[in-house]
């Protein structure tokens, strides 16, 4: 039996704000007829503008959706409205499903069986072929043309990154004082050259440099970005001296792709994966969806990425706060994180994920950066933390220990007492009354988070579990679980 999703979990599936609003407008019982649910499927008929109602159903086991309305959004407002009605206990159980629902489920099973037969037995778990530089030696005969093109690209990339190294050396020699006036035009030209050199990953990194100039301490940040670019260029030049995982990381950062087939041909990791949260981001008319997972037995994190042009449907099969039993195939690298779902089964009951304190979470991030210095984000799960105020920033702080009976009544820690980014107490004046509290551990929130009112409301000053995305500028909270284990999407 699938556990009933919360209202937050349902609304988080909406492709945009207008879909959320539309779903709420059709989530009342008066809009629906012939509704019902069985352990893994939910269905109903929604009154629309036409003579016939729209038929919507949801496969709760694999989070798939169907509706015969003309909407191009996925899931549409009718599927979301039906889920909202179900989440509010407005859908009665049924002993049998309508024929149209049974037909849809049978078609899904047939497609899944056909896909499994096409992939061939043992494909998902077979040993991976060497990747990276070794892939260039795989061609022979009919692949001679592909080998020649691959070699030409390697030469172009090497030349482009060599030019980048010289340019960076010139910038450091000249100093950064005039970067705000002169660098943007140079970055634009350098980006074009790196695109021509077929190094799109490096070109993208250079194209994002202008955002550094708005930082308060922009010279230090720019120097750091230049250092990472130089490290990437040198790493590519000396790739033959590096371990294979690090070499794969560098090639990925430069822009060499690893095909889906190569990933799925590698070894897989089976686990029960908690769906921690997701974040959508739009750039250049393309929307990317990042869904974070964590294995219950392996304690391993995973990132499932999907992309779609603006206005088109993204993968909505992974629902925040649920869990799946799945085999994941990871992309190669020194700190492997991105993965594909190779095989999926009915998931276990949902529960809050296990987490750790702020110091342990930062240690996990440090280990990941050690393998991939160019990381821009990494998932963390913090347990028993409270949102707290530090000067002009919010942090997630470890819950302070209970005061001893002999402690003065004014020595407790209020929500305004918080640590510095490194985990120690910053200055005095811990509580709202200016009394300094005990030292606590915490991690600052990303400036874009603003005032975390929703997280504050869930916490109410009590410890909660929070899944977040670490970035160099702070945490982006994704999801929290209250003391009763209820999921709240942030």
């Amino acid at each position: 039996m699938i556990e009933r999703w919360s209202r937050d979990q349902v609304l988080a599936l909406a492709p945009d704000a207008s879909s959320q609003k539309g779903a709420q407008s059709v989530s009342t019982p008066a809009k629906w007829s012939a509704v019902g649910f069985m352990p893994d499927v939910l269905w109903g008929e929604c009154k629309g503008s036409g003579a016939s109602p729209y038929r919507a159903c949801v496969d709760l086991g694999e989070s798939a959706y169907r509706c015969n309305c003309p909407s191009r959004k996925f899931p549409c407002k009718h599927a979301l409205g039906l889920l909202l009605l179900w989440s509010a206990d407005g859908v009665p159980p049924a002993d049998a499903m309508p024929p149209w629902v049974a037909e849809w489920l049978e078609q899904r099973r047939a497609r899944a069986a056909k896909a499994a037969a096409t992939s061939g037995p043992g494909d998902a778990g077979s040993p991976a072929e060497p990747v990276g530089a070794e892939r260039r030696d795989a061609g022979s005969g009919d692949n001679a043309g592909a080998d020649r093109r691959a070699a030409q690209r390697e030469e172009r990339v090497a030349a482009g990154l060599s030019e980048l190294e010289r340019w960076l050396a010139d910038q450091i020699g000249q100093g950064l004082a005039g970067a705000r006036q002169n660098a943007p035009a140079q970055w634009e030209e350098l980006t074009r050259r790196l695109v021509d050199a077929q190094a799109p990953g490096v070109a993208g990194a250079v194209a994002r440099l202008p955002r550094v100039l708005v930082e308060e301490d922009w010279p230090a940040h720019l120097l750091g970005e230049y250092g990472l670019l130089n490290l990437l260029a040198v790493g590519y030049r000396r790739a033959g001296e590096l371990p294979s995982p690090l070499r794969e990381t560098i090639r990925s950062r430069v822009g060499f792709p690893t095909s889906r087939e190569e990933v799925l041909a590698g070894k897989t990791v089976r686990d029960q994966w908690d769906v921690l949260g997701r974040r959508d981001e739009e750039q250049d008319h393309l929307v990317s969806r990042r869904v974070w997972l964590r294995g219950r037995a392996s304690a391993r994190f995973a990132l499932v990425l999907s992309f779609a042009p603006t206005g088109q449907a993204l993968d909505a099969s992974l629902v925040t706060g649920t869990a799946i039993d799945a085999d994941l195939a990871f992309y190669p690298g020194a700190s492997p994180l991105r993965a594909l779902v190779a095989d999926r089964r009915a998931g276990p009951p949902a529960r809050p994920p296990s987490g750790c304190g702020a110091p342990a979470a930062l240690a996990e991030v440090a280990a990941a950066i050690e393998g991939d210095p160019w990381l821009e984000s990494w998932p963390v799960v913090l347990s028993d933390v409270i949102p707290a105020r530090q000067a002009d920033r919010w942090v997630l702080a470890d819950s302070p220990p209970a005061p001893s009976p002999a402690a003065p009544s004014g020595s407790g820690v209020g929500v305004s007492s918080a640590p510095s980014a490194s985990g120690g107490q910053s200055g005095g004046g811990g509580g709202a009354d200016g009394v300094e509290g005990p030292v606590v551990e915490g991690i600052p929130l990303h400036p874009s988070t603003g005032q975390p009112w929703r997280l504050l409301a869930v916490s109410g000053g009590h410890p909660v579990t929070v899944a977040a995305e670490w970035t160099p500028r702070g945490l982006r909270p994704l999801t929290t679980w209250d003391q009763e284990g209820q999921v709240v999407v942030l």
Side-chain angles (χ1 to χ4, degrees), residues 205-279:
V206 174
R208 292 190 293 271
L209 286 176
R211 67 184 183 183
V212 176
L213 297 180
V214 302
E215 301 284 346
E216 182 177 353
D217 190 17
W218 66 265
H221 287 284
L222 182 57
L223 184 61
E225 294 294 332
Y226 280 175
L228 288 173
L229 284 170
N230 189 72
L231 181 64
L232 186 58
V234 173
Y236 181 82
R237 175 164 51 83
R238 300 178 60 180
E241 307 170 28
L242 303 177
S244 178
L246 181 55
R247 186 165 63 245
E248 288 301 326
T249 295
I250 290 172
R251 291 180 63 82
S252 174
R253 294 294 180 183
V254 169
F256 287 92
T258 302
S259 71
R260 180 183 180 89
E261 291 73 22
E262 286 178 292
V263 176
L264 292 176
K267 293 182 179 180
T268 59
V269 179
R270 181 174 180 179
D271 205 339
Q272 295 177 343
W273 302 89
D274 289 309
V275 184
L276 302 178
R278 79 180 195 195
R279 184 165 65 88

Side-chain angles (χ1 to χ4, degrees), residues 82-414:
L82 178 61
L83 283 167
L84 285 174
L85 186 64
W86 172 64
S87 73
D89 201 15
V91 178
D95 296 326
M97 64 186 73
W100 61 273
V101 177
E103 180 183 2
W104 176 63
L105 290 177
E106 183 59 34
Q107 290 173 349
R108 283 181 49 76
R109 295 190 188 100
R111 286 195 296 268
K114 183 178 180 181
T118 302
S119 65
D123 280 359
S126 59
E129 292 294 324
V131 291
E134 291 80 3
R135 285 197 298 268
R136 300 191 294 275
D137 300 328
S140 61
D142 293 342
N143 293 330
D147 284 350
R148 185 170 56 254
R149 289 191 295 272
Q152 289 173 348
R153 180 179 182 182
E154 298 284 353
E155 293 175 1
R156 293 192 188 102
V157 171
L161 295 186
S162 178
E163 180 183 354
L164 174 62
E165 282 191 68
R166 291 193 296 271
W167 183 86
L168 288 169
D170 290 342
Q171 300 309 301
I172 300 303
Q174 296 169 8
L176 304 180
R180 275 184 163 169
Q181 291 74 33
N182 306 323
Q186 297 177 17
W187 293 337
E188 187 174 348
E189 175 62 24
L190 185 59
T191 299
R192 286 197 294 266
R193 292 184 182 181
L194 288 167
V195 169
D196 292 340
Q198 296 182 281
V202 189
V206 174
R208 292 190 293 271
L209 286 176
R211 67 184 183 183
V212 176
L213 297 180
V214 302
E215 301 284 346
E216 182 177 353
D217 190 17
W218 66 265
H221 287 284
L222 182 57
L223 184 61
E225 294 294 332
Y226 280 175
L228 288 173
L229 284 170
N230 189 72
L231 181 64
L232 186 58
V234 173
Y236 181 82
R237 175 164 51 83
R238 300 178 60 180
E241 307 170 28
L242 303 177
S244 178
L246 181 55
R247 186 165 63 245
E248 288 301 326
T249 295
I250 290 172
R251 291 180 63 82
S252 174
R253 294 294 180 183
V254 169
F256 287 92
T258 302
S259 71
R260 180 183 180 89
E261 291 73 22
E262 286 178 292
V263 176
L264 292 176
K267 293 182 179 180
T268 59
V269 179
R270 181 174 180 179
D271 205 339
Q272 295 177 343
W273 302 89
D274 289 309
V275 184
L276 302 178
R278 79 180 195 195
R279 184 165 65 88
D280 293 351
E281 196 170 54
E282 182 177 355
Q283 185 176 5
D284 298 331
H285 307 292
L286 185 70
V287 181
S288 62
R289 171 164 293 170
R290 307 163 69 87
V291 182
W292 302 102
L293 311 176
R294 190 183 192 192
R296 292 183 177 180
S298 64
R300 185 171 183 173
F301 288 109
L303 168 64
V304 178
L305 278 174
S306 59
F307 303 90
T310 302
Q312 294 191 18
L314 281 159
D315 177 30
S317 62
L318 298 172
V319 180
T320 298
T322 64
I324 62 171
D325 182 352
D327 298 321
L328 297 190
F330 284 82
Y331 282 75
S335 296
L337 181 64
R338 186 183 175 188
L340 297 174
V341 180
D343 192 17
R344 176 174 174 175
R345 308 160 196 86
R351 70 184 189 196
S354 58
C356 60
L362 291 175
E364 292 178 356
V365 172
I369 294 175
E370 182 180 3
D372 183 356
W374 305 276
L375 273 177
E376 293 187 350
S377 64
W378 190 265
V380 295
V381 179
L382 299 169
S383 59
D384 295 327
V385 292
I386 56 174
R389 187 75 176 173
Q390 174 196 0
D392 60 344
R393 296 192 69 176
W394 287 93
V395 302
L396 288 182
D398 285 344
S399 177
S404 63
S409 60
S411 62
V413 177

